[in-house]
Amino acid sequence: QVQLVESGGGSVQSGGSLRLSCAASGYISSSYCMGWFRQAPEKEREGVARIDSDGSTTYADSVKGRFVISRDNAKNTLYLQMNSLKPEDTAMYYCATDRPHDCLTTFQALDAIDFAFWGQGTQVTVSS
């Protein structure tokens, strides 16, 4: 099993920055793809960014140029650097991962249904 714990959320003003972290433990390796998702009240969960085992990254159009996803395989930690935050970025942010074989099938896709393991989330609130 894999356990994921997010941290780094908080409240910031529009234009500010936050860095989210996701610590992974259990049976996980650099071969696992990892992603960030978010869900605002009364909205569906949406993909934000994904990083595959080869280091390739995928971003939602709404965050391109503002967010950067990265991972430290030695620490089993995933990051999301969020810059130029907007009120519409307000949501609960979730970290997710999936098994290597399944990651190959869903390569670079940002659909929540493609990820098997999830963290509990960290809240990000951006005020105008």
Side-chain angles (χ1 to χ4, degrees):
Q1 277 290 5
V2 177
Q3 294 80 44
L4 302 172
V5 179
E6 303 93 336
S7 61
S11 297
V12 296
Q13 289 191 329
S14 182
S17 298
L18 281 174
R19 189 195 196 199
L20 304 184
S21 299
C22 172
S25 60
Y27 192 74
I28 189 169
S29 71
S30 59
S31 298
Y32 281 60
C33 54
M34 301 191 77
W36 287 100
F37 294 79
R38 66 187 181 186
Q39 187 166 18
E42 301 181 0
K43 291 190 177 181
E44 292 188 357
R45 191 169 297 190
E46 63 173 352
V48 174
R50 167 178 173 152
I51 185 165
D52 282 275
S53 59
D54 64 351
S56 61
T57 56
T58 306
Y59 295 93
D61 288 342
S62 59
V63 306
K64 281 181 181 176
R66 300 188 298 123
F67 291 10
V68 178
I69 188 172
S70 61
R71 66 194 294 175
D72 185 333
N73 291 326
K75 296 181 179 179
N76 278 343
T77 301
L78 178 72
Y79 302 100
L80 184 68
Q81 178 66 43
M82 304 187 296
N83 301 321
S84 302
L85 282 161
K86 304 175 181 180
E88 50 263 45
D89 294 319
T90 295
M92 184 71 78
Y93 282 71
Y94 298 90
C95 168
T97 189
D98 203 2
R99 305 173 188 87
H101 179 269
D102 296 323
C103 290
L104 291 176
T105 302
T106 64
F107 186 65
Q108 295 186 339
L110 265 179
D111 298 318
I113 196 172
D114 294 327
F115 286 79
F117 305 102
W118 292 83
Q120 293 300 307
T122 185
Q123 178 68 36
V124 172
T125 302
V126 184
S127 58
S128 57

